[in-house]
Amino acid sequence: MFKLPQRRRVVAWMGAACWAMVACPASAASPQDMLAASDDIRNPPNSFSLRLAITEYRQGRRTNHSTLSVYSSPSESSGDFRNLVRMVTPVRDAGKLLLRNGGDLWFYDPSSRASVRISPQQRLLGQASNGDVMTTRLARNYTAELKGPEEVKDGDGVVRKTQRLLLVAQRPDVTYAQIEYWMEDGTHRPVMAKYYTAENRLLKSAWFRRFKPALGAERPTETVIVDGLDPQWVTVMQLSEYTPRKIPEQWLQRDYLPRFAAD
Amino acid sequence: MATTRLFAPIRRRLSACVLAVFASQGALAQAPPDLDPAQFQVAEQEGAAATALGIKASIGLDAWDRRRAVDGVADAGLRSVLDLRREWHLGSGWSATFSGRLEGTGDGHTSTVHKALREAYVAKRMGDSLFVDVGRINLRSGVASGFNPTDWLREAAALPQTTQNPVSLRENRLGTVMLRLQAIENWGAVQLAVVPHLAHQEDGASPDGLAWERTNDDKALHVRVAPQLNDALSLDLLAYARENRHPQWGLNLTSVLHSALIAHAELATGLREGLAAPGVVPSTHMHQRVAAGFNWTTPQGAVLTVERHSATDALNPQDWEAWRLATDRPTLRGLAQLRTQRSDLQEPLVRDAWFFRAAVTGLSERANVDLGAFVRLNAHDHSALWQVDGAWHVRPRVSVYASLGGFAGTSLSEFGANPTRTLMSVRLETVF
């Protein structure tokens, strides 16, 4: 049997280890840890509120604009964020509310004074699905698999070295069945994502850009979403006014929706 | 009638348009995004918050195509509506809510004005989790779309409208004067509403003005318990007791089956006097009312609803057939009265029905067109009530709404017997 001397074996092992470190820098962390690290860049760690502006384009022309206030609080039990979204503009939608606790999503319309349960994929905000405007921790809902390094253009057209992950939904009530997710090598910054149905149909593509300091870290403050069926339908989501705040537990119950008063 | 010829092509074209829209929603093209996202640059901090006063003003035209002429009633008329919904937060946990509607209609010969006080109440927060509300409150229950067996306070609360859309009927109705206590805790919520007796109900009481006799003709108690179960399941347990009536019990259940699929079930049970065949004295038994179905969001964003309705206190197929086959005048008159009464109270006439709805928002290049359609189908005689609604949001504060609806079926069927064959409504609405 072929056998290396002891010293040569040690050198060979060290060489192999060094090669692995150089060739696969991202493999030091598991894909799930990488995804969690990327989640921490997209989301502040504690409760907060922000302002969300959604602008839609068709055939390159701006066609629609709406603004929302989003209140997010991490759940102690699931670790994922619970969200309360208040529509601010257009004025015909002012005061409408969306509440999300995991797969539990309610829409409240002050005109009917009724709370209606809706699905995460239902669109009330133009092209952006309800799940898109909510703060989510992907690592809590998807199982990540590392697909390897790739160079992709980011939302500003700059080519970046990334790692591509394939995310598979852990439960059927999660908004998307599968996501392809590109994060920047080393920093774990989200760069781009493609969202698919269970039948592997492309629903939309998203680019994360305009990283700015917000609540202790550089976070993406813009997401560009391109529809999977109609690439001429583009939605830009702008996040601003990140504010740390205590979100009372009551706000996150459907029975509180008719009583919610924005401050 | 002349209007029949006028409506027929409009109906055909509109139906074709609706079918085309929903068909196009189903057409898939796996187009990869080939646009450069860098070209979409939006200025920061744009879109200041708009002030909403809660006032809507609209003017519109209603037109009817009738199977038979109704004396003194025109085939078209103008309608103008001033609608106010406003909430004031007064500090120290106090708030006040007002919701009213002023509506004028005219057809060239007659004109009428309707005033309706939908809601007027004050609310006070007591401590962290207890809320007290006093006044006229619109208390709604139910998770179904086409029929809500547990929405016991809807009876006699409807306001006159051209639309038959269940969503609009739920929005525009009178509240009930009550004292409401609600506790919202981490485990869920519990609510108790005490309804006082204020006036005696009279036949044909108008919904105009305060109309206490329609909503507060008897004392009543309404209880609702809504425990927080888990993300997938929501549950409401309800009880309703009204003077001179038997207590009713209810349950609302919703469940997420998939990120695009929600199932719901609404059940009410209690002693009720059921409807019977002509000449048979109605008897009181335990009856069940059920509305169960699902909402599915298609990958293209349309929401489809399918619901089955069942009410064991309504007419079973044999009794309904007996009413339909009657030829003597008193029975025919009785059937007409029964139809009108059940329709006014939004109560089911026959035991089994289907309800289908499709809705899509953000159509058109400017994403400012919403479209919806629903059909309520009598499962026994297959007659149908249908309506197609469209909304075009011309500007952030200005919208145009149009609806075309009708009653289809043979002359002896539930909906086909309606004197109106088709009704159309167009209105321009502005929001302040």
Side-chain angles (χ1 to χ4, degrees), chain A residues 51 55-65 67 88-92 94 101-104 106 109-114 117-123 154-157 172-175 194 197 200-203 205 207 209-210 212 222 224 226 228-229 231-232 234 236 238 240-241 249-250 252-256 258-259 261, chain B residues 28-35 37-38 40-52 56 85 87 89 97 119 121 125 128-129 131 133 140 171 180 182 184-186 188-189 224 226 228 231-236 254-262 297 299-300 303 361-362 364-367 393 395-397 399 431:
Chain A
R51 181 171 175 272
T55 309
E56 283 188 53
Y57 296 85
R58 300 278 186 119
Q59 315 293 333
R61 282 194 306 124
R62 181 182 144 140
T63 55
N64 223 338
H65 183 80
T67 49
V88 180
T89 65
V91 71
R92 65 175 176 273
N101 284 324
D104 193 15
W106 294 85
D109 185 348
S111 296
S112 63
R113 295 209 162 274
R117 193 166 196 181
I118 59 173
S119 72
Q121 283 192 14
Q122 189 169 334
R123 290 172 184 169
D154 71 6
D156 290 314
D173 62 336
V174 175
T175 308
K194 288 186 177 183
T197 66
N200 217 24
R201 282 197 299 250
L202 178 67
L203 284 169
S205 305
W207 284 263
R209 68 184 189 188
R210 290 203 182 169
K212 290 179 185 172
E222 255 186 35
V224 182
V226 178
L229 300 174
Q232 298 296 319
V234 178
V236 179
Q238 294 176 293
S240 62
E241 299 176 19
E249 282 296 311
Q250 278 176 337
L252 303 165
Q253 290 208 34
R254 67 183 155 112
D255 277 276
Y256 191 77
R259 301 188 181 277
Chain B
L28 282 172
Q30 187 78 0
D34 55 0
L35 288 187
F40 297 96
Q41 301 293 336
V42 185
E44 291 182 34
Q45 304 297 329
E46 145 176 10
T51 310
K56 289 180 188 171
R85 293 175 198 268
E87 213 171 305
H89 294 276
T97 301
E119 285 191 300
Y121 66 93
R125 182 184 190 128
D128 284 342
S129 56
F131 301 87
D133 310 311
R140 295 178 179 83
E171 272 186 30
R180 179 169 66 179
Q182 187 181 32
I184 304 175
E185 301 283 356
N186 289 348
R224 176 173 166 271
Q228 292 272 91
D231 289 357
L233 206 64
S234 80
L235 171 71
D236 290 348
T254 66
S255 180
V256 185
L257 303 180
H258 178 266
S259 66
L261 190 65
I262 304 271
T297 305
Q300 295 74 42
V303 180
T361 55
S364 86
E365 193 178 297
R366 292 186 62 82
H393 305 296
R395 307 181 71 81
R397 291 177 185 271
S399 301
V431 182

Side-chain angles (χ1 to χ4, degrees), chain A residues 139-158:
Chain A
R140 299 276 177 179
N141 298 304
Y142 293 87
T143 302
E145 182 189 341
L146 184 61
K147 289 295 185 182
E150 271 184 25
E151 286 194 347
V152 296
K153 271 188 182 177
D154 71 6
D156 290 314
V158 178

